[in-house]
Amino acid sequence: MKTIQLVFIAMLISFGAKAQDFIYEGPAKSEVRSFWTNAMGIQKTQKYAEGVVFLEAKLKEVKQKDPAYKTDKMEAEIAKWKAKAGSTSSTGQVQEDFSQLNPTQKAIKADQLLRKLFEETNIGVRPSDVPVIQFRFKEYSDLVKQYISLNTKPQETDIKRTKIIIEKHMYQTNGDLTNIENAKASGTILEVAERNYYLAKYNQLYWEAATKIFPEETAYADQYKAVSDFVTKMGSLESMKAGMEQNNAEKIKSRKLPTPVVVDSKLEKVLIDGFNAKYGSTQKATALKAVLTQNGWTTLRHNVSGVVVGRERSAKLAYKGSDGKCYLLPDYVFIREEYIGTSFTNTKAIFNGLDGNEMLCENVK
């Protein structure tokens, strides 16, 4: 226990200049902590250029979420790793020398590369992958080059296993392309457009690798062509984002409050007053109109005993934000009452955050 404490103290001393960032509780808390957590790992991975790109992306997010946050220590940290990346000649992956390996060792190495390419690599794009996706693509391409330069084959059982995995991946690829196409048609989030763009490119790399390593498999070549045609049709990243922006503009224009299933001015007032009490002073948001979307109540019961504990009914609410724009709360708006004694009481409004979808103020009717 004492050893653990000493290690922890040593870490605090080592990162003393950064400690205040880990106790920061502002709106950019997760981004700040992600920045410093990743900064601490750069030396271990020695991926200096990639680390810099990731830290710069996190710094940008911090400035967007909390413009008042002082980022001087972050900028100094980035400068430190930039200097390290500039002074290190081996920023890219070094091509291995396989000339000293015997045939058995080469076969084992070939199998290891196949596993990395087709089993261990996740052909997916998370939000955190986007800033460094070009590094991921280069790493993947380098693995293919290594396999080809090895100029050997693993055991037949390893080849058979790999081909089974590749053929199963066809379903994932086709599912990815379908989802990307659907999002392109109706999606509204620019970040999703960006991830989808790179996801299609990643699948293209995967099938290019499969085709190069197993040229005898015509099905792989057909899949590679299908993905490549899709990527070409998909267009540039800028056009993907422009499509999302157009979709969003159309949805803003058409978004309206639903027709109320029942009109109850008292309950509507509970929603309006409850919203203003919760978000008026803190978020400078003002409720404009509420409608009930459920005719009647849903009984709430205790999870274990089944005893009635309350009731609720769903609603929708439109509000004006601090930016002067109008928004519709899409989900989780309720009137709720507690069951005490023999009656329902303590009527209140329930909201799950201020995450509304923009609408035209003129459509709040």
Side-chain angles (χ1 to χ4, degrees), residues 205 237 334:
L205 271 180
L237 176 57
F334 293 98

Side-chain angles (χ1 to χ4, degrees), residues 198-268:
Y198 291 125
L199 179 58
K201 291 277 193 177
Y202 216 161
N203 274 288
Q204 186 181 28
L205 271 180
Y206 181 96
W207 289 104
E208 181 182 26
T211 301
K212 285 182 176 180
I213 293 173
F214 301 110
E216 73 279 4
E217 297 291 344
T218 57
Y220 299 177
D222 291 342
Q223 185 72 17
Y224 174 52
K225 183 180 184 304
V227 177
S228 296
D229 290 345
F230 182 91
V231 169
T232 300
K233 180 183 175 183
M234 181 177 66
S236 66
L237 176 57
E238 290 70 25
S239 68
M240 290 276 287
K241 289 183 176 180
M244 289 286 191
E245 288 177 335
Q246 181 61 35
N247 293 343
N248 191 41
E250 291 173 359
K251 288 194 175 183
I252 290 171
K253 186 177 179 180
S254 62
R255 187 170 285 121
K256 297 178 181 180
L257 276 162
T259 303
V261 296
V262 63
V263 176
D264 188 319
S265 59
K266 289 184 179 180
L267 292 181
E268 291 163 9

Side-chain angles (χ1 to χ4, degrees), residues 81-190:
W81 293 117
K82 273 187 176 180
K84 185 73 172 177
S87 64
T88 304
S89 59
S90 58
T91 54
Q93 184 170 343
V94 178
Q95 191 71 25
E96 292 188 45
D97 180 11
F98 302 126
S99 60
Q100 302 302 314
L101 300 182
N102 62 43
T104 301
Q105 291 172 325
K106 284 187 176 183
I108 292 172
K109 182 64 179 181
D111 181 49
Q112 290 173 347
L113 290 170
L114 286 181
R115 289 178 183 273
K116 286 182 179 179
L117 283 165
F118 302 113
E119 295 182 52
E120 298 171 9
T121 299
N122 174 33
I123 307 299
V125 182
R126 302 166 298 179
S128 59
D129 292 326
V130 172
V132 294
I133 195 65
Q134 297 301 337
F135 292 94
R136 301 283 183 271
F137 289 171
K138 185 179 184 305
E139 288 172 358
Y140 195 84
S141 297
D142 285 344
L143 290 174
V144 177
K145 291 177 183 177
Q146 284 188 37
Y147 184 92
I148 293 173
S149 67
L150 192 59
N151 195 27
T152 192
K153 287 186 177 182
Q155 297 181 8
E156 285 300 322
T157 54
D158 296 328
I159 292 175
K160 183 178 179 180
R161 182 202 69 243
T162 301
K163 287 185 176 182
I164 291 173
I165 292 168
I166 292 173
E167 286 153 17
K168 286 182 179 179
H169 190 77
M170 284 187 182
Y171 296 100
Q172 180 181 326
T173 295
N174 293 332
D176 286 343
L177 300 190
T178 298
N179 292 336
I180 293 168
E181 188 67 30
N182 291 339
K184 186 177 180 181
S186 60
T188 60
I189 303 173
L190 296 183

